[in-house]
Amino acid sequence: MKQIAHIESVYKSKFGVPRQAGLVNVEARIVFEKEFRVLETVRGLEEFDYIWLIWGFHLAERERWSPTVRPPRLGGNKRMGVFATRSPFRPNPLGLSSVRLLRVDTETDDAPQLYIAGADIVDGTPIYDIKPYIPYADSHPEARGGFAQQAPERSLAVSIPDRLLKLLPAALHDPLRDTIALDPRPHYQDDPQRLYSMPFDRWEVRFRVEDGIAVVEDCVLNKVNHGNNN
């Protein structure tokens, strides 16, 4: 397989990335590799509202795979068969996400580029294929969902001081709140003294959690990502 593109996202590390697509309405961009930067490849794609992304868990590759994994949705304590989960630790580390297509850019120097919303993918992740989402074939609202029948609740209340909100673009306020509200912490961690650090766009966001409330204590401009305007 060839990598056809990569994603540019506000999520700079695995910590904080939503565990499924569509949970946080945050924008991202798909940039095609030079070989596939051909306008004809996306002809007609603008007629679809959603697309499927097939991508690689490039930060989670292991030499060996296990037939069972521990889904975070089950608290990380119960084992399920790897093919009954969406764990990144698979025989072939491939991910599948349905994302909203905002627009198809065919005008810039690096065109085509795709602007999307709701991606659960780390910045820089390789994209191996893109397919249109077809409602009559891909949507099954009556289907059983096993242990993930319902969307996860936003389990944390989030408090961000105004002085820190002023550091962030307004368009990132709600995505940041929604991301933290989904509780990115490992399920076995519940230490109110622990300071969690999460790269988010160009900032390092630091927060604590106590009694179900996440309090953001600092937002520091990340020098590594400074100037990387997504």
Side-chain angles (χ1 to χ4, degrees):
M1 282 194 303
K2 290 186 177 181
Q3 176 180 336
I4 65 167
H6 67 273
I7 193 167
E8 293 186 352
S9 164
V10 300
Y11 298 113
K12 306 301 179 181
S13 74
K14 293 185 293 182
F15 182 70
V17 177
R19 294 188 173 105
Q20 299 293 343
L23 295 179
V24 177
N25 186 32
V26 61
E27 294 189 15
R29 178 171 61 173
I30 295 175
V31 180
F32 286 90
E33 304 305 309
K34 188 173 182 180
E35 178 182 355
F36 302 98
R37 206 170 290 166
V38 180
L39 292 177
E40 285 81 357
T41 62
V42 296
R43 183 184 299 163
L45 192 61
E46 72 281 355
E47 298 177 11
F48 295 88
D49 286 334
Y50 286 81
I51 57 177
W52 289 106
L53 302 179
I54 299 174
W55 46 277
F57 287 103
H58 67 302
L59 300 180
E61 294 183 359
R62 293 179 175 178
E63 293 184 3
R64 297 181 179 181
W65 66 278
S66 171
T68 62
V69 295
R70 299 179 181 180
R73 189 66 177 273
L74 297 177
N77 296 316
K78 184 177 180 180
R79 285 194 171 273
M80 301 290 286
V82 65
F83 299 134
T85 76
R86 297 191 177 187
S87 167
F89 304 111
R90 323 181 66 78
N92 294 307
L94 295 176
L96 177 69
S97 298
S98 173
V99 298
R100 184 158 54 97
L101 179 61
L102 301 176
R103 65 186 177 94
V104 179
D105 175 19
T106 59
E107 302 295 331
T108 58
D109 292 339
D110 292 334
Q113 297 184 66
L114 306 181
Y115 287 80
I116 62 174
D120 54 339
I121 307 176
V122 176
D123 183 65
T125 292
I127 307 294
Y128 293 112
D129 203 3
I130 298 168
K131 300 178 187 290
Y133 176 95
I134 301 174
Y136 78 84
D138 296 343
S139 178
H140 304 280
E142 77 289 352
R144 293 184 300 157
F147 63 85
Q149 183 69 36
Q150 303 295 329
E153 296 181 356
R154 283 163 170 73
S155 58
L156 298 178
V158 180
S159 174
I160 307 177
D162 288 341
R163 64 179 178 83
L164 297 181
L165 286 175
K166 291 178 181 179
L167 300 176
L168 302 171
L172 293 180
H173 292 181
D174 286 344
L176 177 59
R177 285 194 184 95
D178 289 344
T179 297
I180 297 176
L182 287 168
D183 197 350
R185 300 174 300 165
H187 284 266
Y188 56 83
Q189 289 184 3
D190 190 21
D191 181 0
Q193 300 304 315
R194 180 162 184 162
L195 184 65
Y196 295 91
S197 183
M198 181 182 76
F200 189 82
D201 196 53
R202 294 181 296 153
W203 288 267
E204 198 76 22
V205 178
R206 298 164 184 165
F207 64 94
R208 299 184 193 274
V209 178
E210 185 173 5
D211 296 330
I213 301 175
V215 179
V216 177
E217 298 195 353
D218 205 358
C219 291
V220 179
L221 192 63
N222 191 324
K223 295 181 180 180
V224 174
N225 292 320
H226 182 57
N228 180 19
N229 184 9
N230 290 340

